Structures are given as C-alpha cells and as structure tokens.
Amino acid sequence: MKGIQGLIIAIVLGLIGFAFNMYYLSSSRDFEHDSFIGVRKTASVTRGTPLTRSHFERVLIPKEFVGNLNEFALPWTDLDAIVGRKSIRDYERGGLLLRNDFRTAPDELQLVGGETAISVPIDTRTTITSQIIPGDTRVSFYLASGRNNPNGGNQDWIGPFDVLTVGQRMGSSDVFDSRRNRGGSENMLTLKATNTKGKPNAQMTILLNHLTGTNFKPLRLKIHAPANK
C-alpha cells in the first residue's frame, strides 16, 4: 500500500513540476488554473496531527496541464472539510493532499439480496485489531482439534471469512479516527454468513457449532491477504 502511495505521489509531483515548467516557459499566455491543497514547505504534518489551515497553501496548476490529477488530489474547495481532521500518514513538505487519504468508512453494513451477517467474539489478547480492515481483510479462526472441533480430525483452522465490521468500525482504524469517532467492542467481528441468495456458508455453520460447544469462547484468528491480491 505504501509503495502505491509513493508511486502516486511521485507521479503527481512530476506532473506539477512539468506543469510549472511549461507555465513559466509560456508566461506570456493567459492561463486558467485549477487549485489543489498543498502542504506548506514550512509545515510539519505527521500521522495523527490535527489539521489546521496554517498547514496548507493553494497550489495552482494551469488547466491544460491538470489531466486526471483531479482524480487523485484534493481540490482547494475541499479545505473546510479537511480542517479539524487528523492526518492518517506523514506528509512530505510541499506535497499534495490525496483523495485516498481522506476516504470515509461506510455508516451501515453493506449487505445485498439475501446476505446476512453474524458477530463472533475474538481473543484480543492475541490479535491486533487495528490490522483488520473491514471489507478488505479476511480471517480464519483456530478450532482445537478433536472433541471441540465439529469436524473432528486435525482441522485446526477454518476460513477464510469476509470481515464486515470490527466492533463498531466499518473501515480502517485510521479513517475511523480521522472522523473523530471512537470504536467500541473490538472484541467482536461481524462476518458475512450467507450469500446474496441467502445460502448459508458451510464453514459458518461449523464455526457456530464450535462456538456453541465452547459457550462462545473468544476465538484466536489469523489474517489473510484480501481476496483480490
């Protein structure tokens, strides 16, 4: 993820440099501009910094050189929506604010058709919940072999399952924090239980049988890469 952000930033800065070079080479022409939110060279913005107007300055780029920069960088008109939030990463001095850095988490479960969801308890002593990103991360759960395992045998792990929420959180912990909300009940994961036709997930049935047999003892989990990676 950091590599992708670095690549985007490099591309953006390259476009800006090219645009300003062309502007000064053709300074006799009258240009229309688009304006974007830039971090002042004198500002220090690190992860968790509450953002203020003093951190930013307007960056003007001739319209004819903007291209698809609007798809990545935040326009100056969005400044009021950014002020007061917390930065979710460190910014290079003189860099631009990117749209992806200020994405918002959904406010409700994204279920369609016959999809349903079930919440299960997890062992937070062995889990760093901030590493679980709803809608992106998948997890498997550890089931003790033998008597407590509904399948019997040596099947220790079951999954992966799609995570819909971590407690009240429906996005990354950084995004949740930037909205000045506080997560709760992060000892519970909400998982997708049925598909769009309402068909139960067979592994979910096994997992629920296991939880019933252990009086809903918190589960140890492991994290998988997103399905599309």
Side-chain angles (χ1 to χ4, degrees):
M1 187 65 181
K2 291 182 179 179
I4 295 175
Q5 280 188 336
L7 178 60
I8 292 176
I9 292 171
I11 293 173
V12 167
L13 294 179
L15 288 171
I16 293 173
F18 174 75
F20 274 104
N21 284 336
M22 293 300 296
Y23 173 75
Y24 286 116
L25 288 174
S26 308
S27 57
S28 60
R29 297 175 56 187
D30 185 20
F31 288 100
E32 291 185 8
H33 298 81
D34 278 346
S35 55
F36 299 90
I37 304 174
V39 179
R40 292 182 183 275
K41 291 183 178 179
T42 56
S44 177
V45 179
T46 57
R47 186 177 184 274
T49 300
L51 300 173
T52 67
R53 286 180 174 274
S54 63
H55 288 129
F56 307 117
E57 63 183 0
R58 186 193 301 259
V59 176
L60 298 177
I61 299 179
K63 280 185 176 292
E64 62 181 290
F65 299 122
V66 168
N68 64 347
L69 183 58
N70 284 299
E71 298 177 15
F72 301 100
L74 281 172
W76 183 255
T77 52
D78 283 359
L79 182 62
D80 287 340
I82 297 304
V83 170
R85 295 174 66 169
K86 292 182 180 180
S87 174
I88 66 171
R89 67 178 180 87
D90 297 344
Y91 279 93
E92 296 291 336
R93 295 179 181 182
L96 292 180
L97 295 194
L98 303 180
R99 291 181 182 275
N100 193 52
D101 292 339
F102 295 92
R103 65 199 186 281
T104 58
D107 295 319
E108 58 184 23
L109 286 177
Q110 305 297 298
L111 298 174
V112 297
E115 290 180 340
T116 60
I118 291 177
S119 296
V120 300
I122 61 171
D123 186 354
T124 55
R125 298 172 305 171
T126 59
T127 303
I128 302 175
T129 57
S130 62
Q131 296 177 346
I132 305 174
I133 303 175
D136 190 21
T137 305
R138 299 178 302 154
V139 298
S140 287
F141 298 101
Y142 180 78
L143 306 185
S145 299
R147 182 170 57 86
N148 291 328
N149 188 332
N151 274 355
N154 297 313
Q155 182 180 347
D156 291 332
W157 293 93
I158 187 169
F161 296 90
D162 295 322
V163 178
L164 301 180
T165 74
V166 182
Q168 299 175 20
R169 176 165 59 84
M170 299 186 186
S172 75
S173 57
D174 287 333
V175 173
F176 201 76
D177 182 61
S178 74
R179 296 173 65 181
R180 289 173 291 188
N181 288 321
R182 182 170 295 179
S185 305
E186 293 217 347
N187 62 324
M188 299 290 290
L189 294 188
T190 301
L191 311 174
K192 188 175 292 186
T194 59
N195 62 21
T196 56
K197 296 182 179 180
K199 183 177 180 180
N201 181 329
Q203 294 196 107
M204 177 60 74
T205 300
I206 295 173
L207 180 61
L208 290 176
N209 287 340
H210 170 81
L211 285 169
T212 300
T214 61
N215 197 26
F216 287 83
K217 180 180 179 181
L219 298 161
R220 183 179 181 181
L221 62 82
K222 64 179 177 182
I223 296 173
H224 296 268
N228 59 351
K229 291 187 178 181

